[in-house]
Amino acid sequence: ARRRRPAAMGSGRDKRKKAAKRSGGDASGGTSGSSKTDRKTDKNAAKLERRMDRAGKEDDIDALLANIKLLDAKTTAVHITENAPKPSARCNCSFTATLAQKPAEIVMYGGEVVDSGGKTRVFSDLYRYDVEKNRFARVVAPNAPPPRSAHQAVAHGGYVYVHGGEFTSPNQEKFYHYRDLWRFELETNAWESLPSKTGPSARSGHRMIVHPNGKSLLMFGGFYDTGNEIRYYNDVWELALESKTWHLRCGGGGGGAAAR
């Protein structure tokens, strides 16, 4: 009788590996590396949510902002939800007409709301409203600004520029004012952080327009509220768009319009 050839060494183990791979495990009955990574990611997300909930209850504004930054870092690509539900109720958001876009659009960003329990929620979401079709598209993009309200936004040259604003703790006892400058590119839905170290101080409630020459932006006024004191500003700043540099034009010590 013909002798049966012995199975190749390791062939049984290879079959077990392939079967385990299809079922999400490994040859020894454990889980694959990808499954472990997924579980670790879910565990970290749950941990982060608990930290945010605890920070919210304690009104720890620094911890809240740090955790929000960690959550936002998980966004690595632009995601657009076409014909999205209308934005939730809010106030102190920016609602900026792009003017040059076809079809005409309005970009809505940020804002805040006080819920039925008296807690404040600050938004960082961005919606593009198609005026002709009367519908919203929700845009989630990497490197986006942190949540804010009472900021200023203006559209010019294919971008929406966003400056300043504030983040309010859930119990409305603490405030963080921004002095940062961002721009959102309408063509690519990409956010970019622009230099702001030599520009206006942190503030909210200011005003910003495009200079008639089309080469710069003008910003006026605003306030800074720590919860213990409030400062109002009457300075005028100009942002040169080509060089992305700020220049103080007047104000801060009288001689201009009254602080507001």
Side-chain angles (χ1 to χ4, degrees):
R2 179 176 293 180
R3 204 172 194 179
R4 179 180 295 176
R5 176 182 291 179
M9 185 176 292
S11 62
R13 183 168 64 235
D14 291 341
K15 289 179 181 178
R16 289 196 299 275
K17 281 185 176 180
K18 291 178 180 178
K21 201 172 191 180
R22 288 193 295 268
S23 62
D26 58 29
S28 61
T31 56
S32 67
S34 61
S35 297
K36 290 180 180 179
T37 301
D38 291 342
R39 284 209 307 271
K40 187 176 181 180
T41 300
D42 293 341
K43 186 177 180 180
N44 289 339
K47 183 178 179 180
L48 191 56
E49 287 180 5
R50 290 194 298 270
R51 286 171 56 187
M52 289 191 68
D53 184 60
R54 184 167 62 250
K57 290 178 180 178
E58 297 173 355
D59 228 32
D60 188 338
I61 198 167
D62 293 328
L64 281 169
L65 288 171
N67 291 335
I68 288 170
K69 186 176 182 179
L70 289 174
L71 281 175
D72 289 346
K74 298 180 182 295
T75 302
T76 57
V78 175
H79 179 73
I80 303 174
T81 304
E82 300 288 354
N83 203 18
K86 293 180 180 179
S88 58
R90 65 191 68 191
C91 62
N92 298 325
C93 57
S94 54
F95 204 61
T96 311
T98 60
L99 302 179
Q101 296 301 299
K102 295 185 181 296
E105 281 191 334
I106 297 175
V107 176
M108 195 201 82
Y109 170 69
E112 62 183 346
V113 67
V114 178
D115 63 24
S116 58
K119 301 292 185 180
T120 298
R121 179 185 177 191
V122 186
F123 298 98
S124 63
D125 46 3
L126 184 143
Y127 288 85
R128 300 181 67 156
Y129 176 62
D130 188 316
V131 176
E132 295 181 352
K133 296 180 180 179
N134 188 28
R135 67 185 185 187
F136 285 92
R138 187 173 187 267
V139 179
V140 178
N143 191 40
R148 66 191 62 206
S149 63
H151 52 281
Q152 268 295 285
V154 62
H156 181 65
Y159 297 94
V160 173
Y161 292 84
V162 174
H163 178 269
E166 66 184 63
F167 181 86
T168 308
S169 66
N171 293 331
Q172 304 176 52
E173 294 181 356
K174 298 178 182 178
F175 306 90
Y176 182 88
H177 291 260
Y178 299 103
R179 63 175 298 180
D180 51 0
L181 175 67
W182 298 78
R183 71 178 183 183
F184 178 78
E185 187 174 8
L186 295 167
E187 182 66 28
T188 63
N189 292 295
W191 282 104
E192 179 185 3
S193 177
L194 301 179
S196 59
K197 289 184 179 180
T198 59
S201 58
R203 65 189 66 199
S204 306
H206 46 305
R207 295 294 179 264
M208 192 162 66
I209 63 169
V210 178
H211 193 287
N213 65 18
K215 297 180 180 180
S216 62
L217 306 180
L218 294 174
M219 194 206 75
F220 170 71
F223 67 92
Y224 181 85
D225 183 1
T226 65
N228 296 318
E229 65 167 328
I230 301 178
R231 297 197 298 267
Y232 295 95
Y233 300 106
N234 67 341
D235 45 355
V236 176
W237 289 81
E238 183 174 4
L239 173 68
L241 295 175
E242 185 175 349
S243 62
K244 302 182 184 67
T245 54
W246 287 100
H247 303 279
L248 177 62
R249 291 309 183 196
C250 67
R260 64 195 66 194

